[in-house]
Amino acid sequence: MASSLLFDLSGKVAIVTGGNGGLGLGMAKGLAQAGASIAIAARRANKAQAALAELDAMGARAIFVETDVADRASCFAMAQSVADRLGRVDILIANAGIGEGARPETMDEAMWRRTLDINLSGSFFSAQAVYPHLKAAGGGKLVMLGSMTSIFGAAGAANYAASKGAVVQLAKSLAIAWARDNIQVNAILPGWLVTDMVADTKARAPEFDEGIVARTPARRWGEPDDLAGTAVYLCSRASDFVTGTAIPVDGGYAVM
């Protein structure tokens, strides 16, 4: 089989939660370049319009579905809406998440629950919602977004680290449960990438910026587009015998 066909997503429909910016949009554009139709599932419609314009400029078929991933009913409604509007569902990238944190001794209950509800429960509800559609399609791909904190602890963000560590275990569990349905489930662990969540800190704290670069063998921060290749691989037939894995995309940060 030609290598180009291994990564061809023509005719496939991909849902990207939180795909209206940052890492989600970077992966959505990668899948669109490989031929997939894209459904952006997110809360902010105005932000999604700019993302849809980018995808449209690439010649991609793309829609927006307003979704709150922390609400199970919203996730199920979203998956059905995508199936109704685009004809099927083949791929889910469960990317929606938040990155707030505080020292564990000062963190309040609301912050703890909000992070777990969106990052962990949101990933689970999204996966539950697309499962019957992937099964009906004869199989599919599910990619969850972990983090470097899926591997390392985070003194100032125990909530975030706990959620992202759990996301990897969730991916492994779903990979086992749904293998019989020809559904492959994997996780991507982004390293330090330039997004809205870190841009302000990066700009205000040169020592933080310099420390990340020094600790990264690639000697640079990543960009959202750096996730696109791994996302396409995990969503294509090239990874049909790959499931339950967690792949760091971090310029070598995790091995230093």
Side-chain angles (χ1 to χ4, degrees):
M1 183 182 296
S3 60
S4 60
L5 295 179
L6 282 174
F7 299 96
D8 183 18
L9 299 179
S10 299
K12 303 294 185 182
V13 172
I15 297 171
V16 183
T17 67
N20 54 352
L23 308 186
L25 181 56
M27 291 183 286
K29 291 193 295 185
L31 300 189
Q33 287 176 339
S37 297
I38 306 296
I40 292 174
R43 288 184 296 180
R44 294 169 55 187
N46 57 338
K47 186 176 178 181
Q49 295 310 308
L52 290 176
E54 284 195 54
L55 292 165
D56 182 67
M58 297 169 54
R61 185 183 185 194
I63 64 170
F64 168 68
V65 184
E66 187 170 351
T67 310
D68 178 1
V69 296
D71 182 325
R72 186 173 184 269
S74 179
C75 290
F76 274 78
M78 172 272 293
Q80 188 60 56
S81 176
V82 173
D84 291 343
R85 295 168 65 184
L86 296 180
R88 57 189 293 139
V89 179
D90 303 282
I91 294 162
L92 168 67
I93 296 185
N95 165 78
I98 58 173
E100 58 188 10
R103 289 282 307 179
E105 63 271 23
T106 63
M107 186 181 300
D108 62 28
E109 181 179 352
M111 179 181 287
W112 172 265
R113 292 190 181 279
R114 185 165 55 246
T115 302
L116 272 290
D117 284 347
I118 295 173
N119 293 0
L120 179 57
S121 298
S123 296
F124 180 56
F125 296 154
S126 300
Q128 277 191 316
V130 302
Y131 168 74
H133 300 282
L134 300 185
K135 184 177 180 180
K141 305 287 186 173
L142 204 164
V143 178
M144 295 192 164
L145 265 290
S147 158
M148 287 294 93
T149 63
S150 300
I151 304 171
F152 308 127
N159 54 337
Y160 183 77
S163 72
K164 291 302 187 178
V167 160
V168 171
Q169 293 305 107
L170 176 60
K172 292 178 180 180
S173 299
L174 297 182
I176 298 167
W178 295 343
R180 65 186 181 183
D181 300 308
N182 191 32
I183 297 170
Q184 291 81 52
V185 187
N186 294 286
I188 294 176
L189 312 183
W192 290 100
L193 279 73
V194 180
T195 65
D196 291 343
M197 283 198 297
V198 300
D200 184 56
T201 303
K202 186 175 182 292
R204 287 187 293 102
E207 68 282 2
F208 171 71
D209 184 2
E210 293 163 4
I212 296 303
V213 172
R215 173 76 163 68
T216 303
R219 290 295 185 267
R220 68 173 178 88
W221 284 69
E223 299 289 342
D225 289 352
D226 285 320
L227 295 185
T230 304
V232 170
Y233 165 66
L234 291 176
C235 293
S236 71
R237 70 188 71 179
S239 61
D240 280 353
F241 202 54
V242 178
T243 199
T245 65
I247 302 177
V249 182
D250 63 355
Y253 188 91
V255 300
M256 280 284 277

